[in-house]
Amino acid sequence: MRFSNLLFNSLKESPKEAKIVSHQLMLRSSMIQQHTSGIYTWLPLGFKVLKNIEEIVRSNQDQIGCNEMLMSTIQSSDLWTKSGRYADYGKEMLRIKDRHDNELLYGPTNEEVITDLFSNYVNSYKGLPKYVYHIQWKFRDEIRPRFGVMRGREFLMKDAYSFDLDHDKAVKTYQTFFMCYLKTFKELGLQPIPVKAATGAIGGDLSHEFQILAKTGESELAYDPELVSQDLLEKSFDEITSMYSASDEMIDKSKSNVVIGRGIEVGHIFNFGTKYSEPLECYVLNNEGKKVTPYMGSYGIGVSRLTAAIIEAFHDDKGIKWPFNISPFKINIISSNDKFIDIAGELYDTLSKKYINISFDDRDLSLGRKIKDSELIGIPWSLIIGKNFDEKNEFEVINRSSGEKFFVNKQELENFQFEQYTP
Ligand code: P5A
């Protein structure tokens, strides 16, 4: 992408309405723009990041045999009346009437829809377990939308749903999703703390939130610091969950070794048995030909919230520091002035054949301004053709995270390893 083609306009100052650093940086780097309270337009840079996060989430769901599908954003109220949640959900649900006076709603979650759909496709225990997910926009009329996309009204969620024959098998499935979540967040460069949680509007008896430590987080946490320092993927579910961590609703500060911190909830998983399958009359036949109600779970990841959570984790006073695999562009070519613009253009063409997602800042602006924008956007590598090229035919390569600089000639540049790092 050439910057001259990019819909982008960096802001030097933080807009006043932005209270936390991720919101400030997302506005300053033209990632998002508020459309109306809690509802955002994703501009090209923000949208690229959102898709990169989505892809990491998707590949991890696919690895555990979860089927991707796509359910509608608009739902009929009928199933919610059956499950009993139509009244319970209250003002957070956006209710709509169509021209025939049918009651519709903008989906805040999909337990009802998927449960209703399931029995049309699976009717025997032989078809279990089954896991499905989609990555779809949700709407919750939050009383206090704030911090940009961190707590929006319209937000992107990955929500998965599981169906098992009995309680024990459903718990095994829950553990599979739990471990899959640890791996997903690790690939996103984050160190999640799995926290025992209350089940709220979704229901059930077993639930964990996945929290990322951040000063600006909305939840208060009490946790064993070992949970943050160790590679949890090397441990079993039982080992991890026996370590202490609890959220604001369930904090027991008296435990030894406990640290109090704040966190951003980036995922939440639930095991709720037959809470939806029973009222929605979802059955399969067991091995004796008897009708049984499948045991279910649901598993959410806040995809749009993650864009902000990752910025909270990786930034400095100059801007964002994206992990390589999430960054909208991987290498940004910057040339100082008209003198080198053709050389930079040729380099852009060559490198674009070798790497995907290279950008070239070909705008008619000062070198300093272009470097500042590159730092603000958080592109992991900058490749500068400036003073050193003029004097010594050397390119300058800068690592955004460490600030390390490398001066290389044309030959060395060809062999340069642009490390795919996480800051
Ligand atoms: C699990 C999947 C559910 O809705 N049903 C389907 C279950 N869980 S949840 O905890 O309510 O939401 C899952 C994740 O979505 C993110 N999230 C939000 N992100 C931005 N703005 C919001 N207003 C918002 N509400 C929820 C969180 O990351 C949450 O863990």
Side-chain angles (χ1 to χ4, degrees):
M1 169 64 82
R2 287 172 185 263
F3 269 63
S4 55
N5 291 330
L6 186 67
L7 186 68
F8 164 80
N9 187 10
S10 62
L11 299 177
K12 233 174 128 192
E13 303 294 331
S14 294
K16 271 204 273 318
E17 75 266 23
K19 302 278 182 267
I20 62 172
V21 70
S22 56
H23 191 195
Q24 291 164 354
L25 291 173
M26 286 180 89
L27 293 173
R28 285 185 54 207
S29 64
S30 302
M31 285 181 65
I32 52 167
Q33 197 194 55
Q34 180 173 292
H35 173 66
T36 184
S37 169
I39 301 179
Y40 289 85
T41 299
W42 291 78
L43 297 169
L45 287 180
F47 189 48
K48 273 179 185 293
V49 168
L50 192 66
K51 284 191 290 181
N52 290 342
I53 294 173
E54 208 183 283
E55 204 39 51
I56 293 171
V57 171
R58 174 176 288 117
S59 72
N60 277 283
Q61 292 294 289
D62 293 346
Q63 276 170 34
I64 59 166
C66 202
N67 297 266
E68 184 168 18
M69 55 188 286
L70 186 61
M71 290 173 263
S72 60
T73 53
I74 306 287
Q75 305 179 13
S76 151
S77 65
D78 297 352
L79 300 171
W80 289 75
T81 308
K82 271 196 190 171
S83 74
R85 279 210 290 184
Y86 196 50
D88 291 356
Y89 223 94
K91 288 197 161 173
E92 254 187 39
M93 179 182 275
L94 181 65
R95 297 157 204 259
I96 310 162
K97 266 199 184 147
D98 71 10
R99 61 167 74 194
H100 305 295
D101 260 356
N102 292 318
E103 288 185 28
L104 303 173
L105 57 104
Y106 197 115
T109 179
N110 284 66
E111 279 81 5
E112 281 80 355
V113 175
I114 195 65
T115 308
D116 179 60
L117 177 138
F118 183 77
S119 30
N120 293 326
Y121 295 91
V122 178
N123 44 37
S124 156
Y125 72 97
K126 290 182 186 160
L128 297 179
K130 278 282 173 306
Y131 309 153
V132 296
Y133 75 100
H134 71 164
I135 301 176
Q136 177 64 293
W137 294 92
K138 305 288 186 285
F139 194 92
R140 293 181 186 175
D141 206 350
E142 297 276 349
I143 188 160
R144 211 172 297 117
R146 56 180 185 161
F147 302 154
V149 299
M150 194 74 95
R151 180 166 295 279
R153 294 199 296 166
E154 188 184 57
F155 60 96
L156 189 61
M157 193 200 290
K158 184 287 297 178
D159 38 327
Y161 303 88
S162 67
F163 296 82
D164 275 283
L165 188 60
D166 58 36
H167 173 79
D168 289 357
K169 291 191 169 71
V171 170
K172 279 254 150 57
T173 290
Y174 182 89
Q175 296 179 358
T176 303
F177 275 91
F178 182 101
M179 296 311 286
C180 172
Y181 270 37
L182 291 180
K183 186 164 161 286
T184 305
F185 293 123
K186 191 175 173 189
E187 276 175 36
L188 290 166
L190 300 171
Q191 173 71 277
I193 304 185
V195 171
K196 280 187 221 95
T199 52
I202 310 289
D205 59 2
L206 177 61
S207 176
H208 284 89
E209 291 167 2
F210 291 81
Q211 297 273 355
I212 303 304
L213 286 179
K215 287 196 288 292
T216 50
E218 290 188 293
S219 335
E220 185 173 85
L221 307 174
Y223 62 97
D224 177 348
E226 289 283 295
L227 270 168
V228 196
S229 61
Q230 298 183 6
D231 185 358
L232 297 181
L233 284 170
E234 285 169 1
K235 297 186 177 301
S236 70
F237 175 82
D238 288 337
E239 281 172 308
I240 299 165
T241 51
S242 67
M243 295 166 89
Y244 186 75
S245 64
S247 63
D248 33 13
E249 288 140 292
M250 316 176 103
I251 283 178
D252 173 0
K253 295 175 187 170
S254 66
K255 300 229 172 179
S256 62
N257 221 2
V258 159
V259 170
I260 306 288
R262 302 199 70 79
I264 301 168
E265 181 197 312
V266 288
H268 199 161
I269 61 177
F270 303 82
N271 176 276
F272 45 70
T274 59
K275 179 173 178 206
Y276 301 94
S277 43
E278 215 167 287
L280 293 170
E281 295 164 71
C282 169
Y283 301 111
V284 296
L285 297 179
N286 70 8
N287 60 356
E288 293 162 358
K290 273 213 299 237
K291 275 182 172 180
V292 293
T293 314
Y295 283 69
M296 295 177 56
S298 73
Y299 315 87
I301 290 185
V303 177
S304 49
R305 176 177 289 183
L306 271 167
T307 56
I310 294 168
I311 295 173
E312 291 291 328
F314 304 115
H315 68 269
D316 60 15
D317 53 2
K318 294 178 185 151
I320 304 168
K321 302 201 272 189
W322 288 117
F324 188 90
N325 54 3
I326 296 169
S327 186
F329 301 116
K330 314 305 181 190
I331 306 169
N332 188 26
I333 299 170
I334 304 172
S335 75
S336 72
N337 52 34
D338 290 349
K339 201 161 144 197
F340 301 126
I341 208 88
D342 291 340
I343 295 168
E346 279 165 31
L347 192 60
Y348 170 64
D349 292 337
T350 333
L351 285 178
S352 296
K353 288 187 193 118
K354 207 164 150 193
Y355 300 97
I356 34 172
N357 272 323
I358 307 274
S359 54
F360 170 28
D361 196 342
D362 58 346
R363 294 174 299 168
D364 188 13
L365 293 172
S366 73
L367 183 70
R369 169 75 194 278
K370 293 189 202 183
I371 292 174
K372 279 212 161 65
D373 278 352
S374 194
E375 288 169 341
L376 174 67
I377 299 171
I379 304 170
W381 294 99
S382 301
L383 172 46
I384 299 169
I385 309 171
K387 201 166 102 239
N388 279 71
F389 192 78
D390 208 11
E391 289 165 5
K392 301 190 228 158
N393 255 334
E394 274 178 355
F395 300 91
E396 184 178 349
V397 180
I398 307 179
N399 178 315
R400 169 68 183 95
S401 178
S402 65
E404 226 176 329
K405 291 183 179 174
F406 305 86
F407 295 94
V408 293
N409 62 29
K410 195 158 187 273
Q411 180 75 45
E412 287 161 339
L413 183 64
E414 271 171 34
N415 301 320
F416 191 85
Q417 293 296 318
F418 291 95
E419 194 202 331
Q420 306 194 7
Y421 67 84
T422 296

